[in-house]
Amino acid sequence: MNDRTTIQSLLVVSDHPRNAETPLPALDAAVTPSALVYVRCNFDIPVVDAAAWTLSLEGCCARPEVLTLDRLGAMSHREVHATVECAGNGRKLMNPVPSGTPWGLGAVSTVVFGGTPLRYVLELCGLDPAAVEIVCEGADRGTVDDGRAVRFVRSLPREQALHPDTLVAWTLNGEPLEPAHGYPLRLVVPGWYGVASVKWLTRLIAVTAPFTGHFQTERYVYLDHPEYEQRAPVTFMHVRSLITSPYEGAAIRVGEPGTIRGIAWSGFGAVRRVDVSTDEGAAWRPARLRPAASPWAAANWECDWSPQHAGEQVLMARAEDTAGGSSPWTPRGTGWATATTRCTG
């Protein structure tokens, strides 16, 4: 079976702002090659002067601070191996296609981030017990649909901000961040949709009431969904599976033994099962699931398959996590569990 592709570059979705997908076969690797990590920008990439870059700690705290990159680099360092996905991944496949960046299925990557836990940074400023959220501000800015000029700002609940795996990061796969991935400094929130991992991080503000900015209550929110409060911000990634091989549109040989491969992940718990269908969902059988490289990383899976007829072949995969696997679509296309690939025999 021809189940490999020679795609070696990002699949550009838009140039301004820069958005590009990881080619799905690259996701088979435990770590996505740095050059193929998907790029998500809401505005143009900001111009950076790393020598003058600082991170301000403000708000409801005893000791406001301004930290240089050198000071941050001298703090306790750790790495986190995590899968990060855009909340709109797969939006282009919806019918009708909702507004927003028209992602295929490649707005996801698995990488190793390095930096210092956010909790250590917050300890420096003496975080007040009354602080309920940490507002995280990036240097990127632009104009939204109604003409307002805004910065990219999101907030984290106190508990998540103090999680030991939430990082202020400056490396990706062992190298300094590239400009498109937040150089010189970004937030990393494992298990959450990528919107929470604010890039080009400049300010952290401890607040005593929930933040209500544009990207918290107007964009990256759930709309008209029974499981969520109206306009609740997206947080943990829903369970999801992808078929990485054979790739979409591949030519395969009837009767030739082969393998369907893919990955599955969830921010709510470990993936415990992946099922595959080769008859458009009429019947399902379990795939072989490999252990994930970390609690936050996608797990690889595979299933033997020998196509028995010529023409279009429709392959489907679905995943379940230890939390039960709720995976809704929303009007902005957030969270989808079942992957479909079409190939020709």
Side-chain angles (χ1 to χ4, degrees), residues 4-5 7 10 21-33 36-38 81-85 89 105-111 241-245 261-265 297-301:
R4 296 297 182 186
T5 178
I7 294 174
L10 289 168
E21 298 186 27
T22 298
L24 298 189
L27 297 172
D28 278 332
V31 176
T32 307
L36 297 180
V37 173
Y38 88 97
H81 190 163
T83 295
V84 182
E85 180 189 22
N89 194 24
L105 290 170
V108 59
S109 300
T110 300
V111 298
S241 62
L242 285 182
I243 296 171
T244 58
S245 176
R261 297 185 180 88
I263 60 171
W265 66 95
N300 290 82
W301 57 264

Side-chain angles (χ1 to χ4, degrees), residues 3-339:
D3 62 354
R4 296 297 182 186
T5 178
T6 57
I7 294 174
Q8 296 296 324
S9 61
L10 289 168
L11 309 176
V12 176
V13 177
S14 66
D15 284 317
H16 298 288
R18 178 70 171 174
N19 290 292
E21 298 186 27
T22 298
L24 298 189
L27 297 172
D28 278 332
V31 176
T32 307
S34 297
L36 297 180
V37 173
Y38 88 97
V39 175
R40 173 55 170 143
C41 300
N42 283 276
F43 306 122
D44 286 339
I45 297 170
V47 176
V48 168
D49 178 3
W53 197 271
T54 59
L55 176 62
S56 298
L57 314 180
E58 307 171 17
C60 187
C61 58
R63 299 178 298 278
E65 290 270 4
V66 177
L67 305 180
T68 64
L69 294 179
D70 285 344
R71 188 173 175 191
L72 282 165
M75 296 178 67
S76 178
H77 180 273
R78 66 170 302 179
E79 292 185 331
V80 171
H81 190 163
T83 295
V84 182
E85 180 189 22
C86 178
N89 194 24
R91 180 182 288 130
K92 187 170 67 173
L93 305 182
M94 297 180 68
N95 186 19
V97 177
S99 63
T101 303
W103 293 109
L105 290 170
V108 59
S109 300
T110 300
V111 298
V112 178
F113 289 106
T116 192
L118 176 59
R119 64 189 300 176
Y120 295 161
V121 176
L122 296 175
E123 285 173 0
L124 291 176
C125 70
L127 186 64
D128 194 293
V132 297
E133 290 186 354
I134 306 299
V135 176
C136 309
E137 182 177 299
D140 49 331
R141 65 176 74 187
T143 303
V144 295
D145 293 343
D146 62 4
R148 284 176 294 161
V150 300
R151 285 184 178 269
F152 190 87
V153 188
R154 281 275 293 194
S155 70
L156 279 180
R158 180 191 182 101
E159 179 181 9
Q160 191 64 42
L162 296 178
H163 191 285
D165 288 339
T166 299
L167 299 184
V168 174
W170 52 84
T171 67
L172 184 153
N173 293 345
E175 299 292 335
L177 293 166
E178 293 291 334
H181 297 302
Y183 175 81
L185 206 63
R186 67 174 292 166
L187 201 64
V188 174
V189 188
W192 285 43
Y193 285 110
V195 63
S197 295
V198 176
K199 299 189 290 289
W200 310 291
L201 188 64
T202 60
R203 296 174 72 201
L204 298 171
I205 309 163
V207 296
T208 57
F211 175 64
T212 59
H214 175 73
F215 292 101
Q216 195 80 17
T217 59
E218 298 175 42
R219 289 290 307 276
Y220 296 97
V221 296
Y222 290 107
L223 301 175
D224 302 321
H225 193 279
E227 294 184 17
Y228 296 92
E229 182 180 344
Q230 182 72 348
R231 295 197 176 275
V234 300
T235 55
F236 292 98
M237 296 184 296
H238 288 280
V239 61
R240 190 161 197 168
S241 62
L242 285 182
I243 296 171
T244 58
S245 176
Y247 58 92
E248 187 78 19
I252 57 177
R253 293 181 180 178
V254 175
E256 179 179 301
T259 306
I260 304 169
R261 297 185 180 88
I263 60 171
W265 66 95
S266 174
F268 286 93
V271 173
R272 65 182 178 189
R273 182 183 180 94
V274 173
D275 293 315
V276 175
S277 173
T278 59
D279 56 6
E280 302 190 47
W284 296 84
R285 56 194 172 106
R288 296 185 295 276
L289 187 63
R290 299 179 187 173
S294 87
W296 307 117
N300 290 82
W301 57 264
E302 62 183 23
C303 183
D304 297 332
W305 176 54
S306 179
Q308 298 301 304
H309 64 85
E312 185 179 65
Q313 315 277 331
V314 180
L315 311 179
M316 305 175 72
R318 64 187 184 191
E320 182 179 301
D321 64 17
T322 53
S326 173
S327 302
W329 274 117
T330 73
R332 285 211 175 263
T334 300
W336 193 35
T338 304

